[in-house]
Amino acid sequence: AQSVTQPDIHITVSEGASLELRCNYSYGATPYLFWYVQSPGQGLQLLLKYFSGDTLVQGIKGFEAEFKRSQSSFNLRKPSVHWSDAAEYFCAVGYDKVIFGPGTSLSVIP
Amino acid sequence: GAVVSQHPSRVICKSGTSVKIECRSLDFQATTMFWYRQFPKKSLMLMATSNEGSKATYEQGVEKDKFLINHASLTLSTLTVTSAHPEDSSFYICSARKGPSYNEQFFGPGTRLTVL
């Protein structure tokens, strides 16, 4: 069965600290991989995506993600978190249809 | 950029009435639109996929007679919740994509439906 897991329901980090959000998936083949961010009252915004090629993907707002085929993972990272990064983060996978993970809520301590 | 709007942003209705939610791609033509449902503090659940001029494809467990989807043009899709009940209260989000499946989906801001 196709599924996406995000093991961390909620993460709290201090402003300026590094961040890693985990994502693992189960799929028949390597799907397209996405990370979205949802802020209160805002629509989902695409941070980055992986289709093929270089397994380290750069996105907007200083985020990057690394695809590891052997681990079926696509973890999101940011070297220095800003208070404005507090939001809900969703990992998503698929082709025509995209399956979303349960989300990780990020809080940032000033 | 690509902008997707939804109308209304919030709606409150009485049990048994029908509610229509519009999803528009404002600056691009969307070959495919998607409807999602999001429960509080939960992820997005895909309800259906619609292609312009075709019948929507519903996900397993989604009642097609309760959630009517129409994709009449390349810029407009509507979701009608028929005979709404309190358990239909939720946050409904649409997204639109232009072209092939590797293209990005652009999401609307969502519609909060409350059924009394």
Side-chain angles (χ1 to χ4, degrees):
Chain A
Q2 301 165 351
S3 66
V4 182
T5 56
Q6 293 179 245
D8 304 303
I9 296 174
H10 186 241
I11 284 182
T12 300
V13 298
S14 298
E15 191 168 17
S18 63
L19 171 71
E20 181 170 32
L21 302 182
R22 296 180 290 164
C23 172
N24 292 92
Y25 65 89
S26 174
Y27 211 85
T30 299
Y32 302 142
L33 303 163
F34 309 86
W35 273 99
Y36 286 91
V37 60
Q38 184 181 36
S39 299
Q42 305 289 320
L44 275 81
Q45 182 181 24
L46 180 69
L47 288 175
L48 45 78
K49 58 187 178 185
Y50 173 80
F51 294 150
S52 64
D54 192 346
T55 57
L56 186 62
V57 180
Q58 301 298 318
I60 62 171
K61 303 184 178 185
F63 285 93
E64 67 177 26
E66 185 173 14
F67 167 58
K68 293 186 176 179
R69 184 188 305 274
S70 61
Q71 299 176 18
S72 296
S73 69
F74 189 55
N75 294 347
L76 181 71
R77 299 193 293 251
K78 186 169 185 178
S80 178
V81 170
H82 188 263
W83 64 266
S84 60
D85 293 324
E88 191 80 20
Y89 290 81
F90 293 98
C91 178
V93 306
Y95 292 107
D96 269 348
K97 298 187 301 184
V98 173
I99 304 168
F100 282 79
T104 297
S105 178
L106 174 65
S107 296
V108 180
I109 301 172
Chain B
V3 180
V4 176
S5 70
Q6 281 184 243
H7 177 79
S9 57
R10 292 176 179 270
V11 57
I12 300 173
C13 69
K14 294 182 178 179
S15 185
T17 62
S18 294
V19 174
K20 180 183 285 188
I21 302 170
E22 291 186 348
C23 175
R24 293 182 185 272
S25 55
L26 298 184
D27 51 3
F28 68 99
Q29 293 186 324
T31 52
T32 307
M33 286 184 165
F34 304 86
W35 286 96
Y36 295 85
R37 183 172 178 176
Q38 186 177 29
F39 293 96
K41 299 191 182 299
K42 296 289 186 183
S43 186
L44 283 74
M45 181 192 76
L46 179 64
M47 299 174 66
T49 302
S50 73
N51 293 291
E52 186 266 338
S54 304
K55 288 185 178 181
T57 302
Y58 291 81
E59 293 301 301
Q60 190 173 8
V62 178
E63 299 175 61
K64 61 180 66 176
D65 294 331
K66 165 166 275 297
F67 299 101
L68 300 179
I69 292 172
N70 183 278
H71 192 164
S73 76
L74 286 171
T75 59
L76 173 64
S77 176
T78 59
L79 167 67
T80 301
V81 183
T82 62
S83 187
H85 288 93
E87 58 266 29
D88 299 323
S89 298
S90 193
F91 195 54
Y92 293 89
I93 302 173
C94 76
S95 70
R97 186 182 71 205
K98 48 182 175 180
S101 58
Y102 54 79
N103 279 0
E104 178 182 349
Q105 290 184 43
F106 296 94
F107 286 81
T111 296
R112 172 74 60 194
L113 170 63
T114 302
V115 184
L116 302 176

